Amino acid sequence: MSTIVWIKNVLLEEGLNTSSNSSVETRTSLYHLKIENGRIARKQPAEESIEGGFLTFDAQGLLALPSFKEMHNHLDKTYLSLDWKACQPVSNLIERLNLEAIELSELAETAEQRATSMIRLLQSKGATHIRTHVNIDPYIGLKNLEGIRLALEAHSHQLSYDIVAFPQHGLINSNVPGMMKEAMRSGATMVGGLDPAGIDRNIEKSLDKMMEIASEFDADIDIHLHDSGQVGYYTTEKLIELTKEAKWQNRVAISHAFNLGEVPIAQQEKIAKELSENGMAIMSTVPITKTMPPVGLLEQSGVNVHFGCDGFYDSWSPYGTGDLLEKVARYSEIYGKRDERGLANSLKFITGGIIPLSDTGDVQWPKVGDAADFVFVEASCSAEAVARTPERKAVMFQGKLVYGEL
Amino acid sequence: MSNHWITNVRLEKGFKKDDNRITGTETEIVHLEIENEIIKSISKEMPNDSAVKYDAQNHLLLPSLREMHIHIDKTYYSGPWKACTPITNGIFTRLDEEKELLPKLLPTAQERAENMIEMLIRNGHTHIRTHCNVDPVIGLKNLEATMRAIENYKDSITYDIVAFPQHGLLRSDSVELVREAMKNGATLVGGVDPATVDRHIERSLSTVFEIAAEHNKGIDLHLHDPGTLGSFTFSRLADYTKEASMQGRVTISHGMALADLEGPAFTSMLNELQESQIDVTTTIPINRPTIPVVEIDRAGIEVSLGHDSITDHWSPFGTGNTIQKLGVLAERFKYIDEFSLNQILKYATGGITPLNQDGEQVWPRIGDTASMILVNASCTAEAIARRADIKAVFFKGQEIKNKLPQ
């Protein structure tokens, strides 16, 4: 039996006006949308009346944006729902990992509760997809995975998700490869990895092992790569080689990838092309303390770039908001995207590539057949939403209201 | 004047320590008696007199905030959305735009300035230093609008108005206009880049000091010029300050060059500024190097924060939320521990923190002006890291936020 819902009076972008001084303005109109089985079945101007007898939401002129994808989080690490705690300063990554190891078992008991709070926070900011990494390590084993899986499953009607088995304390580390395989049998959907040079201290073996597990479970990959400069670059090159050998095209993502912005431009251009050819994606948290990967170059080269909030309110970082729209505003501010199209285009990094209008003003979204995944905000256009980060009035996943009210 | 109470206020009273490491903040609930705009007494016992009581509901009390660099006279805030136009000729693109834009904005200038003031009050500010364009295009009309707006809020804020020759004191021949502005309500003499805008460092600086002397007012200059050019300008500014005996009355806004200096050149510049008691305001920019706030502060130079723009033709970004800006400051410089997060509040409060560096309670004291805010956090560090909401704002003992239209 099909479920039908109408959403009335939705503000949607429908074109661009260019004025005499070559500045661009976005044109919008009100529409009614018919949602059938979670997808848009009909899009009609608001002047036309709608059929009665169905559940109807009134958006009252709120602007609809494509809903957001949180592409890098650590649901297992957050302190959210527990008491406030700042972080302890450390002098290097090893010290940080040692501190985490002590804390992991204390936190394990509340994994589901903490993850649930984070999921709700992310939803309230507009995310309907969450990619979380979950520690698989000698201290915690698979204990966190269980809690995170339960928390996500409980929300599976409200969002989609990926769970990356993440060897935070090294993949080439005692029995971690065995645990990683166990994790893949116990609810993890992707294989992770971490700094083959800096942590595993054996680039080739670390990458081989990660690829081997991915092949065994026919799973996609998302590796944390903080290793900087040329060693990070070499690691990226090796990962591209392995991706080609294993025919894992369109299935590999690199998180952070600071190195891409730290090498000479010619190298950046070369690797951007190779990443694009192999359908490899880059995940960035839009840091303001480190080099960003060269997002503009990557995008022009056809590499998919996605933003995430990373873990926050945890032993690594006391600050964060869970607001992807704010990440886009930050990105736009850093890169001087201040005009109408620059702002509007930046939205793609949090929507899985979807933006309402093309640069020529053609409507790309929403169209009949698209998933009914929306964020509703009080704004006149997506450029305004990016610059001004208005509060989220409502969030919809497959035609179901998952946050706020209409 | 009769007294009143603010009951159930959370005050910070010391740091929690574990092996000498600061791990948290101790607080206590007290009741404040307010009389004649000041804190008359602080009591742990609930008062049983008949005076009016405002229940703070255990929210944390902090000093009210100071917005030290803003332009309330030219903003799109509260008007229709408008992105920036693409830049074609650096800063001069924006200056040329003002020739058309300022007269167009004038009819709504007062209204928008008032909306901006209300927004800043909602965000916890009780002091606003605004720059106000004084230039051949708009003459003193923006100043008049700004004065009218501020006059309407004189029971809620203290203020400074900087007569700001945006188009260049010399470059746009605005010397007499600035003089007129000083006679008509401006409280500080402004200026912008004596080198790259006025093209004559000495004549520009000497004119600013001449006007300041004529009106016995302080100085606040926009100095964006980078590298050695900026630092040479600071150095001459310090000389002029000493010669004119204006120590403690001169501010450098932005001071971008402070982010470019290193080693002995940086140290010697800090010494010069400290000797002339010049203070610095910054917006904590993320699209260029941020000046090293804490090092500058440690050298005995006062640093304060400003938002500069809340959406105008220069920038579409800006929130007016100084708690958020403190979070960006923390993130930018990786202040992640309780103590650092606690102490950086000073940059938003004119130097006041509830606890001093030794963890002793130094604010509020009996006799302090009762200008303060209530936030939903357990301590200052949490308020900054997790961007606490502001629940109430008191100016000289009177609650002002919740009386505004929300």
Side-chain angles (χ1 to χ4, degrees):
Chain A
M1 206 182 81
S2 72
T3 327
I4 293 174
V5 179
W6 277 91
I7 316 170
K8 296 198 297 187
N9 303 315
V10 184
L11 192 67
L12 294 174
E13 298 186 2
E14 60 171 18
L16 298 173
N17 292 338
T18 307
S19 65
S20 53
N21 66 354
S22 80
S23 67
V24 170
E25 286 180 6
T26 304
R27 214 168 53 238
T28 55
S29 268
L30 289 176
Y31 288 87
H32 301 319
L33 298 175
K34 181 183 187 181
I35 313 298
E36 202 168 331
N37 295 326
R39 296 201 165 264
I40 298 168
R42 206 169 154 188
K43 174 179 172 183
Q44 68 180 47
E47 295 80 45
E48 295 170 20
S49 58
I50 58 172
E51 49 194 347
F54 298 105
L55 174 62
T56 303
F57 295 105
D58 190 347
Q60 295 184 311
L62 291 174
L63 177 74
L65 298 173
S67 69
F68 308 153
K69 293 179 190 293
E70 160 63 0
M71 292 302 275
H72 192 106
N73 203 293
H74 292 263
L75 292 180
D76 56 330
K77 297 193 187 213
T78 188
Y79 299 151
L80 208 61
S81 83
L82 306 180
D83 286 345
W84 157 253
K85 193 153 101 169
C87 302
Q88 187 165 341
V90 292
S91 41
N92 55 50
L93 182 59
I94 302 299
E95 270 185 42
R96 174 64 68 217
L97 288 172
N98 291 341
L99 276 180
E100 182 182 89
I102 299 169
E103 206 180 65
L104 277 169
S105 47
E106 286 170 35
L107 286 172
E109 278 176 30
T110 52
E112 187 180 351
Q113 170 197 321
R114 292 179 295 104
T116 300
S117 298
M118 180 65 95
I119 291 166
R120 300 222 166 116
L121 175 62
L122 294 169
Q123 283 184 308
S124 74
K125 303 294 183 184
T128 62
H129 181 85
I130 297 173
R131 175 176 293 188
T132 182
H133 296 254
V134 175
N135 268 37
I136 304 297
D137 66 53
Y139 311 97
I140 200 72
L142 273 66
K143 232 172 151 185
N144 273 347
L145 176 62
E146 176 69 5
I148 294 342
R149 191 179 56 78
L150 289 173
L152 283 166
E153 275 176 4
H155 291 83
S156 60
H157 56 297
Q158 299 190 341
L159 46 78
S160 52
Y161 59 87
D162 288 312
I163 302 176
V164 188
F166 173 48
Q168 170 79 77
H169 294 254
L171 179 58
I172 312 301
N173 181 358
S174 65
N175 57 344
V176 171
M179 285 184 201
M180 288 283 289
K181 291 182 185 180
E182 195 51 41
M184 295 309 295
R185 289 183 206 105
S186 313
T189 61
M190 292 179 69
V191 178
L194 170 65
D195 293 341
I199 297 290
D200 276 345
R201 305 199 55 78
N202 188 331
I203 299 174
E204 295 78 10
K205 190 174 170 191
S206 173
L207 290 174
D208 282 344
K209 182 55 77 181
M210 180 177 73
M211 194 52 92
E212 179 198 310
I213 301 170
S215 306
E216 187 179 333
F217 291 91
D218 190 23
D220 293 1
I221 287 174
D222 189 338
I223 181 174
H224 280 64
L225 187 58
H226 316 89
D227 284 335
S228 64
Q230 294 295 345
V231 76
Y233 188 78
Y234 170 76
T235 306
T236 310
E237 285 183 320
K238 291 300 289 181
L239 181 58
I240 294 172
E241 283 172 28
L242 286 182
T243 301
K244 279 198 246 182
E245 269 170 39
K247 299 197 167 55
W248 232 243
Q249 280 90 351
N250 305 313
R251 304 188 69 178
V252 179
I254 305 174
S255 285
H256 306 303
F258 304 127
N259 73 88
L260 299 179
E262 293 166 342
V263 297
I265 302 284
Q267 280 185 297
Q268 295 184 13
E269 287 170 347
K270 170 181 167 283
I271 207 140
K273 187 165 166 276
E274 291 174 11
L275 290 167
S276 167
E277 283 165 2
N278 291 286
M280 295 165 76
I282 300 295
M283 311 294 167
S284 176
T285 63
V286 197
I288 54 173
T289 54
K290 291 215 160 114
T291 327
M292 281 264 294
V295 175
L297 170 68
L298 291 167
E299 193 204 341
Q300 281 160 26
S301 311
V303 179
N304 290 325
V305 178
H306 305 280
F307 293 166
C309 295
D310 211 347
F312 59 92
Y313 303 162
D314 57 23
S315 65
W316 299 72
S317 168
Y319 24 71
T321 59
D323 188 348
L324 286 160
L325 197 54
E326 210 173 280
K327 285 280 178 198
V328 181
R330 171 181 284 197
Y331 163 82
S332 304
E333 190 170 356
I334 294 174
Y335 287 92
K337 311 284 185 194
R338 296 175 172 210
D339 61 359
E340 188 88 348
R341 290 310 297 161
L343 289 163
N345 279 324
S346 302
L347 191 68
K348 70 165 67 146
F349 302 118
I350 62 168
T351 58
I354 305 170
I355 47 171
L357 297 178
S358 71
D359 274 337
T360 48
D362 299 317
V363 175
Q364 308 188 129
W365 178 95
K367 289 185 170 166
V368 169
D370 286 344
D373 300 343
F374 304 106
V375 175
F376 294 95
V377 292
E378 206 173 302
S380 65
C381 61
S382 51
E384 181 180 7
V386 167
R388 308 303 306 154
T389 60
E391 66 172 303
R392 297 337 99 82
K393 299 284 190 186
V395 180
M396 204 169 250
F397 177 66
Q398 296 177 355
K400 293 183 296 272
L401 207 52
V402 297
Y403 170 78
E405 282 173 15
L406 286 178
Chain B
M1 204 181 141
S2 68
N3 68 331
H4 66 274
W5 287 87
I6 306 173
T7 59
N8 302 312
V9 167
R10 184 178 302 277
L11 291 187
E12 292 187 325
K13 65 170 190 179
F15 289 125
K16 286 180 206 163
K17 288 191 177 176
D18 180 5
D19 280 347
N20 266 336
R21 185 175 76 81
I22 292 169
T23 57
T25 304
E26 304 271 8
T27 60
E28 60 186 349
I29 302 297
V30 301
H31 317 288
L32 303 182
E33 185 183 15
I34 311 293
E35 194 175 271
N36 293 329
E37 307 181 351
I38 61 164
I39 297 170
K40 189 190 176 196
S41 69
I42 302 175
S43 165
K44 286 186 185 158
E45 304 301 318
M46 181 63 86
N48 56 10
D49 61 18
S50 60
V52 173
K53 294 180 182 63
Y54 180 100
D55 186 355
Q57 298 175 337
N58 295 353
H59 288 311
L60 180 70
L61 190 81
L62 297 175
S64 64
L65 308 178
R66 296 162 70 84
E67 163 56 86
M68 289 298 280
H69 188 111
I70 186 91
H71 298 256
I72 65 170
D73 65 318
K74 47 175 183 182
T75 182
Y76 296 152
Y77 181 75
S78 76
W81 160 251
K82 210 160 156 331
C84 298
T85 58
I87 285 219
T88 48
N89 185 23
I91 174 180
F92 299 106
T93 307
R94 299 296 176 232
L95 296 185
D96 286 343
E97 264 176 320
E98 293 200 352
K99 288 175 189 159
E100 262 189 56
L101 189 63
L102 292 182
K104 234 190 257 178
L105 289 176
L106 189 60
T108 54
Q110 182 186 341
E111 180 194 332
R112 290 185 188 184
E114 290 181 1
N115 288 331
M116 187 103 111
I117 292 168
E118 292 195 2
M119 182 272 291
L120 289 169
I121 291 171
R122 281 190 202 98
N123 280 295
H125 304 90
T126 61
H127 181 82
I128 296 173
R129 178 182 291 193
T130 183
H131 293 251
C132 182
N133 261 48
V134 173
D135 63 59
V137 180
I138 208 68
L140 297 186
K141 294 200 185 85
N142 269 20
L143 177 66
E144 288 157 14
T146 301
M147 297 285 300
R148 285 195 299 272
I150 282 195
E151 179 65 19
N152 288 337
Y153 293 88
K154 66 179 191 319
D155 295 333
S156 302
I157 53 166
T158 53
Y159 69 90
D160 270 312
I161 299 175
V162 187
F164 175 48
Q166 168 80 74
H167 298 241
L169 181 65
L170 306 181
R171 185 178 177 271
S172 66
D173 204 6
S174 294
V175 178
E176 287 314 310
L177 276 172
V178 172
R179 282 204 167 95
E180 280 306 303
M182 298 312 296
K183 289 179 199 146
N184 286 282
T187 64
L188 292 165
V189 182
V192 56
D193 293 331
T196 53
V197 173
D198 275 346
R199 312 287 316 161
H200 201 301
I201 301 174
E202 293 305 316
R203 215 183 314 141
S204 178
L205 287 176
S206 62
T207 310
V208 165
F209 276 84
E210 198 180 297
I211 301 172
E214 283 164 20
H215 300 274
N216 189 24
K217 291 287 197 268
I219 291 169
D220 186 339
L221 301 183
H222 283 62
L223 299 178
H224 315 87
D225 282 339
T228 52
L229 180 59
S231 82
F232 174 72
T233 308
F234 301 162
S235 186
R236 292 298 292 140
L237 180 68
D239 293 340
Y240 275 95
T241 302
K242 271 199 256 185
E243 279 160 29
S245 298
M246 290 271 288
Q247 288 93 337
R249 303 180 67 187
V250 177
T251 299
I252 295 175
S253 280
H254 306 305
M256 314 270 186
L258 288 171
D260 301 334
L261 295 170
E262 281 174 358
F266 182 54
T267 315
S268 109
M269 179 50 60
L270 294 184
N271 284 337
E272 282 187 63
L273 296 181
Q274 196 276 330
E275 277 173 22
S276 293
Q277 292 173 47
I278 290 174
D279 63 276
V280 177
T281 68
T282 175
T283 62
I284 315 291
I286 57 172
N287 58 347
R288 54 165 61 92
T290 306
I291 64 170
V293 172
V294 170
E295 280 159 280
I296 295 169
D297 172 39
R298 281 198 195 120
I301 298 159
E302 193 179 329
V303 183
S304 49
L305 304 178
H307 291 270
D308 201 355
S309 160
I310 315 282
T311 188
D312 57 22
H313 67 296
W314 297 79
S315 165
F317 310 109
T319 62
N321 183 339
T322 292
I323 303 247
Q324 174 183 11
K325 202 163 273 297
L326 288 166
V328 174
L329 168 66
E331 192 173 348
R332 193 84 163 135
F333 294 104
K334 300 187 190 171
Y335 299 131
I336 60 171
D337 62 297
E338 186 83 10
F339 177 76
S340 307
L341 288 166
N342 177 285
Q343 292 287 302
I344 60 173
L345 179 68
K346 68 187 293 190
Y347 304 119
T349 58
I352 306 170
T353 50
L355 302 179
N356 68 12
Q357 295 208 345
D358 301 321
E360 294 157 353
Q361 190 182 59
V362 289
W363 181 92
R365 292 257 168 92
I366 289 166
D368 283 348
T369 300
S371 291
M372 47 210 189
I373 59 177
L374 290 170
V375 299
N376 70 333
S378 66
C379 59
T380 300
E382 180 183 11
I384 292 173
R386 297 194 180 182
R387 201 184 297 170
D389 289 334
I390 291 171
K391 295 294 180 184
V393 180
F394 295 89
F395 178 69
K396 298 182 177 172
Q398 300 302 313
E399 207 290 318
I400 54 175
K401 173 183 192 266
N402 298 304
K403 289 180 185 151
L404 296 173
Q406 294 297 306

